[in-house]
Every structure is written in C-alpha cells, then in structure tokens.
Amino acid sequence: MLVRFLSPDGLLMSTSHFHRLIARAITVVLVPALAACLDSGPSAADGAAQLYHPSFSGNGGSASNALAGVGAPLQMTCRFTSATGRVECDPLSLDGVTYRASYQFVDAAGRPQAQRDNGTDVINEQTEMRGRPALPGAAGASALAFDSIASVSDITRRGLTAPFNTITGTHRVLAASRLISGRDTTRQLIQGTSEWRALRYPRSPEQFRPVSVGTFPPGMNFDSLTAVVRLSGPWAVGGERVDETINTRNGPIAPGTSRQRTVLTYESADAARVLQTTSTSSGERTSTCRVDRLSFSAVCQTP
C-alpha cells in the first residue's frame, strides 16, 4: 500500500521520499505532516482504531532543529471520541521518549468529524514528546547524547474548503544534551520556538524554487542566499513565520550563549521580507532581505 504524507504547506510526499528524510535526521529533521494522513479504510465509528502520521518536528524551523537525531514514530493508533469531538492517539513510548498526539477535524458548518474528508474545513493537531532519548545522535565530529527532550506543538489550518487557508500555531522544544569529543564534555541547552502567524496560502499555492548554490547570480551574498533558501517551498500571500533558537553551552566546545531569530514576512504573492538576527557574546548582527519570488533573488541590507 502506498501511503502519502501531507506537509504543513500542503505538499504531498511519497513514502520513499519520507524515508529518505528520516535517513537524514541526524542533521536535518523530518518535514512534518500537519494535517495527518489516514491509512486506507479507517472506520469513522466512535472509538474505532485509525492510523495517523503525526508531526513531532515543527515546520523545519529552529524548533525542529533542536530534535536532530531523534526519530519520532512514523504512525500512531488513534480513536475518535464523540464526547470531546477529537481524535485522540494512544501514547507511544519509543527509545526512552513518550509521544502523544490529538486531532480535531471540523467541517464548514462547525461540526466535529471522526476523520478528515473532502468537506473538512479546519484541522487542529496537538503533539507532545517528553523523555530522555536512549540512542545518541551526532553533531559534526562530536557525539551527541540527550539528557532530556520536551516538545509541544499546537497548529491549526483553517479554510481548507475556501480559496485561501491560514495556518496558525506554535512549536516549542527544550532539549538538554551533552556534546562529547574525546575526553571533553560540553553541556548544551537548546530552547527552540517556531510560530506561525496567520500564514495565508491559496488553495493551490505557487511553488518557489530556491536558487542553486552553484548557479546563484553574481553579487548574491550569504545573507541573500540564506533568505532565498528559507523561503523555498509553497509561497504564502500573507502572514509571518518566526523561528528562534537560544543555545547555551557550558564546556570546552564553543562555550557561551547564542541566539538566532528569523522573521519571515510575506508581503504579497511575489515579495517577502526576511529579518535575520544573530546574537553572541561578541555582539549582534542583523540583516534585512527582500526576496522576489519571480526572479528567485534577494537584496539584503546589513546595518
């Protein structure tokens, strides 16, 4: 059976593509499945088991980067409960981490549904993961061992039956880990947040292709390229996405606290602004880039 995954921005991914992403999870986390996808033939009866593919990795933003190396379950068993109007998933423990997920599907008349169908207008997904991952990951040339992970997300897509739909919600991560290089150990605390502020997408969003690193126009600097890549994927016509990561290290490997914050603002169907701020003990650096979707280019200013 071929199972397809739906990304938060509305893209379908095949099983083979999804598995390739998992293979890269040490350095890049999974692209999530906001709306969840049902296996074939689930029952809509109250309490009947259904298989869903929840997302535990945000939207590829800073919050999900904190989960690098942690493999979430590919599917969970969930059941509709008429008393709450939600689809609740059975808790699942995997490699030292307990995962929980819950959905609500609502039609255009505001009625809760037992499962998603063509009449679903609103989808809410709530996820949570807590524990101490048993399997170490990797961070460059160093070994990575997690002491604890806590991740909570609450994301809603509205207007699925309308010409435009919006995504709002948050994804937060708190990850405590150790970077081990030889006899040296550095303790690391990552606080990551991704926030979607009424991102507005057309029902069939235009695809934006980032400039290839080997072919980007002369004069495009690193800030410009980063801004273009950040805005790859379906193009919104309004709203903002905010990604923030605070990384505190205590030990010989790059000690200190660093903060990265990126605000993506979609100004129109073809123009967006990317505000990028990096703060370290040595100072703060900010750049503002305006990205043009049609030419796949960005012009940046750094104060």
Side-chain angles (χ1 to χ4, degrees), residues 20-39:
R20 286 198 299 272
L21 289 176
I22 289 199
R24 297 168 52 204
I26 289 179
T27 55
V28 180
V29 297
L30 306 181
V31 175
L34 170 64
C37 183
L38 299 174
D39 280 330

Side-chain angles (χ1 to χ4, degrees), residues 6-28:
L6 184 65
S7 78
D9 295 330
L11 294 180
L12 287 174
M13 295 186 294
S14 67
T15 303
S16 60
H17 183 200
F18 191 78
H19 286 171
R20 286 198 299 272
L21 289 176
I22 289 199
R24 297 168 52 204
I26 289 179
T27 55
V28 180

Side-chain angles (χ1 to χ4, degrees), residues 128-177:
E128 178 182 321
M129 56 181 287
R130 297 183 185 276
R132 181 178 182 177
L135 299 178
S142 304
L144 175 64
F146 282 98
D147 292 322
S148 66
I149 279 283
S151 168
V152 177
S153 70
D154 188 342
I155 304 172
T156 301
R157 168 174 276 179
R158 301 181 184 275
L160 295 176
T161 59
F164 291 88
N165 61 81
T166 60
I167 297 177
T168 59
T170 57
H171 176 64
R172 293 186 173 89
V173 170
L174 183 64
S177 61

Side-chain angles (χ1 to χ4, degrees), residues 60-143:
S62 66
S64 59
N65 289 338
L67 300 179
V70 178
L74 294 181
Q75 65 182 24
M76 297 180 71
T77 301
C78 312
R79 296 173 174 83
F80 176 69
T81 304
S82 57
T84 63
R86 297 190 65 89
V87 176
E88 304 286 350
C89 301
D90 298 340
L92 177 63
S93 294
L94 179 66
D95 296 328
V97 179
T98 299
Y99 299 85
R100 292 178 171 85
S102 171
Y103 297 88
Q104 186 173 49
F105 305 110
V106 179
D107 64 17
R111 295 177 298 238
Q113 298 174 292
Q115 63 186 62
R116 183 184 180 183
D117 58 27
N118 291 334
T120 300
D121 191 61
V122 179
I123 297 174
N124 171 259
E125 180 195 55
Q126 299 174 11
T127 65
E128 178 182 321
M129 56 181 287
R130 297 183 185 276
R132 181 178 182 177
L135 299 178
S142 304

